[in-house]
Amino acid sequence: MSTKDQPLIVDKYEEVIALEDEQLLLRRQKLYGEKETKEELDNTRFGIALSGGGIRSATINLGMLKTLNKFGILQRADYLSTVSGGGYTGAYVQATLKQEGDYKKLFHDDHISYMRKRGEYLLPGSGWGKRWNMLIFTVGYIFSLMMSLLSPAIIIVLVAMSYTILTNLAKRAQLSVIHEWLPKDDFYWIAAVVLLGVFVVHFFANILSGFSLGISKKFNNIEAGLVSIILLWLAILFVSDLGAVDMESYGMETYHYLALPFLLIVLGFFTNPNNISFHRFYRNQLSEAFLHFTGPFRNIKIKDLFNAKSDKKADYLSPYPLINTCLNLQAMDGSDPRFKGAKANDYFLLSPMYCGSKLAKYVSTPKSFLDYQNMTLPAAITISAAAVNPGMGMYSNKLLSVLMTIFNARLGFWVSNPLQAHKRGLIWWPVYFFKELLSSMGTSNQKLNISDGGHIENLAVYELLRRRCRLIIAVDAGADPTFSFTDLENLTIRARNELGLDLKFRDDQIPEECIRPKPSHGYSKRRFAVANIFQLWEEILVKNEDESIMLDKDGKEVEVLINYGSLKEVLHYLSKEEQEELRELIDTLDLSNNIHEVINTLDLQEQDEIKAVMQSLKLKRNIRVVFESTMAMLNGIKGRLLGLVVDPEDRKNAFRQIVSAIEKQVKNNLKMGTLVYIKSSVTAPGGKPIIPRADELKYGTYKYKIYHPSFPHEPTSDQFFDKIQWESYYQLGQYIGADVLGIKNLSDYQKSETTGTYPKASFDLDIASLINHFDADLDLFAVKEEVVDAGETKVKSSRGPIVEDPIPVEMSGGGAPMPPDAGFEEAKSDAKAKTQVTEDKLTGGEEVDFKM
């Protein structure tokens, strides 16, 4: 990637996003033509988020993306945001597109067959091959543990050697004379009697004093003083005893004792936990499972994943990757002023252009620290999936930190701290062993500890919300057997409090009501729900005309907070017709470009005069109320700017930016985008299919839900999927994708195993149509009467509202394996199917439709 004009360190994530936009716009123009503009990018920005959940999430997401890719949706995405298990699939997509340079070569049969066999990716194989891999796993862990313990061993040996050296020095200084002079037995006896006497007096004083104040405090001071005297005496006794040790009894000369510590200190510079922890084994297994077919790109550096300035299409073909990890912050002694609390954390991004976090700043991936320059894709997805680590974000526990450090459960990673860029140099790694052991991870260290992104946000949606995506398709494949929607709740709270965004699900699509299965039924009504993303507040960082940050009279950045609470209330009452009328009126008035008139209106002292101006526009009552609320808000902001910015021209420029932001929000009814929340779930089948028992994979896949009721929420601790289990989740993902797109029969678009042809040809869908599919009930597979801009609701749909009935799915004798929850039609009555049914002694019945 070209690094020209790319800042080395960026303070704010908004600047990172602006630099990304340049690349994303260039990508769109190269793929879809010069008609793509910055405004078009902002209006149709599209991201896909793949959640955590280990191999379960990876397999569901693989099936989901296969369906999206079949209809050209995957290549339309601007971002592919992944966390933990979702990153396994994301890595496959990124590296395969670099290798093949063609979306049609994704999800090839050979790739799927190989990944199915590697479902038990930690211990793959069968028979003696599997036993050999188990031996490798065990021996690898033991040797990694031994390497990991080198760091504390270095510290222990250095302390022991220091003691030995000090004894020799003490002997030469004749400190043993002091040792002989100090009282011992008498001192022990006197100290014990005095402490016991104080204890007894303190005990009875507490009993007799009742509610009196200060008694215990006085005795505590006396007791602390006595203990300090005893400890000081013991320290002197210990030091003076050093002379009693005979160094020559060790059979070594003095220079031997000086050489060994030197060698240990040098060794400490090489005990990097990134290289000797069990992270390496985990990384290799993931690479073998998901990047097997990617050739020279199997270990590609993340800085080389994306470059829209390249002439080679494969360099910018894939969506821009956002790999989500968690920055662990655990220093509790108040020594780190950038955060407070025992379980603080931050979103840490790994991407081709920038890596970092809001608290620790962002650094250029291709030209900053060497560890970011050399960070590979397998390493990044392994860090993003490092669920087991001494630091685990909001799940951190001091006792677990001790146990995990000692037993080498350290899958996380230490990376350079952008805040300490001036301290570049060699790291003495034994110190960092104890930082993990004692939960002392903070931004004041030269290195930062990062781990599984699920330790802070497990849906990978947060970074897409930051980037103001107009449409987000998010797959929640985390383990949630009770359908408590914990990850969704966490995202909703963080989005509201940190980004000022409200995720409001539509009235008929509340996840708890339409996705959560009822015990009396056992299945979900729907697999996904759609939420509108509304802006509750935003912070405008005002810029000068040269794009530099404007400073106030005190030299601080001018940042204006806009609360939309009052507007939210009045906009709620507008009908769709009134919303459209309001949009046209704002476009006509163009407040931000007529800033003089706006300021003059706000200068009117009497509220009645402002109302007169509003009435002169001859607005409907509801729209007039919106304008009155807007003017009241602008009046308050104008007052704040008067106190911040002295220069009138600067103040007018700042006000113009704020008016423009408010204009945009009012026009869009405060709606920022749409979230399609997909939950791994099962809908009820409509009957029983006839499946040849000889086809083990198909038959086993159909039976899987029956004998595994927890499907598709088997625990994340199960990272060992056999072929049928893997295929069940993979097929589930495909049909969830069909459900989301409103596809009636996905098998019509799948290759027949008998004929090798596709009954129906797939076609590409554009982002505007996809947005309208969710916002205006547009049928993606019907002839559209009118093409409108994204976000408009004037499209006449050929179908009614999205129904909750499951999608009928066909199962033919030679068709693709179906998900265990899938609806199956009775096997088609061709001669081959009839023959197979007869051979398996299955009873035929009337043709039935099974729905997902």
Side-chain angles (χ1 to χ4, degrees), residues 328-335 339 341-344 389-407 409 433-442:
N328 294 301
L329 304 171
Q330 295 178 313
M332 298 175 59
D333 57 0
S335 59
F339 73 95
K343 296 182 180 179
N389 194 56
M392 296 192 296
M394 59 184 174
Y395 304 107
S396 296
N397 179 285
K398 291 183 73 66
L399 179 58
L400 282 178
S401 293
V402 172
L403 295 175
M404 288 182 174
T405 305
I406 292 174
F407 291 101
F433 178 91
F434 288 93
K435 289 186 182 295
E436 292 186 77
L437 184 76
L438 304 176
S439 300
S440 182
M441 306 171 186

Side-chain angles (χ1 to χ4, degrees), residues 26 93 145 169 178 202 294 370 373 492 503 562 572 709 808 843:
L26 185 56
V93 170
L145 174 61
L169 297 175
I178 300 175
H202 188 179
T294 57
L370 286 177
Q373 292 183 42
T492 302
L503 309 183
I562 307 175
H572 175 73
T843 303

Side-chain angles (χ1 to χ4, degrees), residues 564-574 625-626 629 670:
Y564 294 108
S566 58
L567 278 178
K568 186 174 185 292
E569 295 298 323
V570 295
L571 286 170
H572 175 73
Y573 293 102
L574 295 184
V625 171
V626 172
S629 298
L670 296 182

Side-chain angles (χ1 to χ4, degrees), residues 235-454:
I236 296 173
L237 183 67
F238 171 77
V239 172
S240 64
D241 191 40
L242 293 176
V245 180
D246 185 5
M247 178 180 169
E248 294 178 358
S249 64
Y250 289 90
M252 297 179 68
E253 299 296 335
T254 302
Y255 69 87
H256 291 151
Y257 288 94
L258 296 176
L260 186 55
F262 174 77
L263 293 175
L264 290 174
I265 291 172
V266 172
L267 179 61
F269 290 106
F270 295 93
T271 56
N272 185 341
N274 296 340
N275 297 331
I276 62 178
S277 70
F278 208 54
H279 166 94
R280 291 185 70 96
F281 181 88
Y282 187 23
R283 181 173 69 200
N284 181 72
Q285 297 304 96
L286 288 176
S287 175
E288 287 188 358
F290 294 93
L291 303 176
H292 180 74
F293 291 95
T294 57
F297 301 104
R298 178 173 170 179
N299 202 32
I300 185 175
K301 296 177 181 178
I302 61 172
K303 69 182 180 67
D304 297 326
L305 282 175
F306 189 95
N307 181 13
K309 295 180 180 179
S310 171
D311 294 329
K312 188 177 179 182
K313 190 175 181 179
D315 289 339
Y316 55 83
L317 189 61
S318 65
Y320 188 80
L322 302 173
I323 302 172
N324 296 267
T325 72
C326 173
L327 172 60
N328 294 301
L329 304 171
Q330 295 178 313
M332 298 175 59
D333 57 0
S335 59
D336 194 334
R338 299 186 68 83
F339 73 95
K340 302 292 181 184
K343 296 182 180 179
N345 47 40
D346 197 14
Y347 313 91
F348 199 94
L349 174 68
L350 299 176
S351 73
M353 291 185 68
Y354 280 93
C355 297
S357 72
K358 184 176 180 179
L359 283 178
K361 298 186 179 180
Y362 296 85
V363 294
S364 170
T365 309
K367 64 175 186 177
S368 61
F369 299 91
L370 286 177
D371 48 359
Y372 295 114
Q373 292 183 42
N374 296 324
M375 175 75 70
T376 63
L377 179 60
I381 64 168
T382 304
I383 298 167
S384 181
V388 179
N389 194 56
M392 296 192 296
M394 59 184 174
Y395 304 107
S396 296
N397 179 285
K398 291 183 73 66
L399 179 58
L400 282 178
S401 293
V402 172
L403 295 175
M404 288 182 174
T405 305
I406 292 174
F407 291 101
N408 196 32
R410 306 160 71 193
L411 299 181
F413 214 77
W414 288 96
V415 293
S416 295
N417 185 355
L419 295 172
Q420 306 295 330
H422 60 286
K423 293 183 179 179
R424 294 192 188 192
L426 294 175
I427 301 295
W428 201 64
W429 290 106
V431 173
Y432 284 85
F433 178 91
F434 288 93
K435 289 186 182 295
E436 292 186 77
L437 184 76
L438 304 176
S439 300
S440 182
M441 306 171 186
T443 58
S444 58
N445 297 326
Q446 196 171 340
K447 290 287 184 178
L448 299 172
N449 186 267
I450 56 177
S451 62
D452 194 324

Side-chain angles (χ1 to χ4, degrees), residues 426-497:
L426 294 175
I427 301 295
W428 201 64
W429 290 106
V431 173
Y432 284 85
F433 178 91
F434 288 93
K435 289 186 182 295
E436 292 186 77
L437 184 76
L438 304 176
S439 300
S440 182
M441 306 171 186
T443 58
S444 58
N445 297 326
Q446 196 171 340
K447 290 287 184 178
L448 299 172
N449 186 267
I450 56 177
S451 62
D452 194 324
H455 291 157
I456 185 168
E457 199 277 293
N458 199 43
L459 296 181
V461 172
Y462 190 89
E463 290 291 349
L464 298 179
L465 291 176
R466 270 182 170 174
R467 285 156 176 77
R468 297 296 192 263
C469 284
R470 178 63 181 82
L471 175 65
I472 300 173
I473 295 180
V475 184
D476 181 358
D480 187 13
T482 61
F483 285 81
S484 59
F485 300 95
T486 304
D487 291 335
L488 177 61
E489 180 184 17
N490 176 57
L491 173 68
T492 302
I493 292 172
R494 289 180 178 275
R496 175 181 286 267
N497 294 339

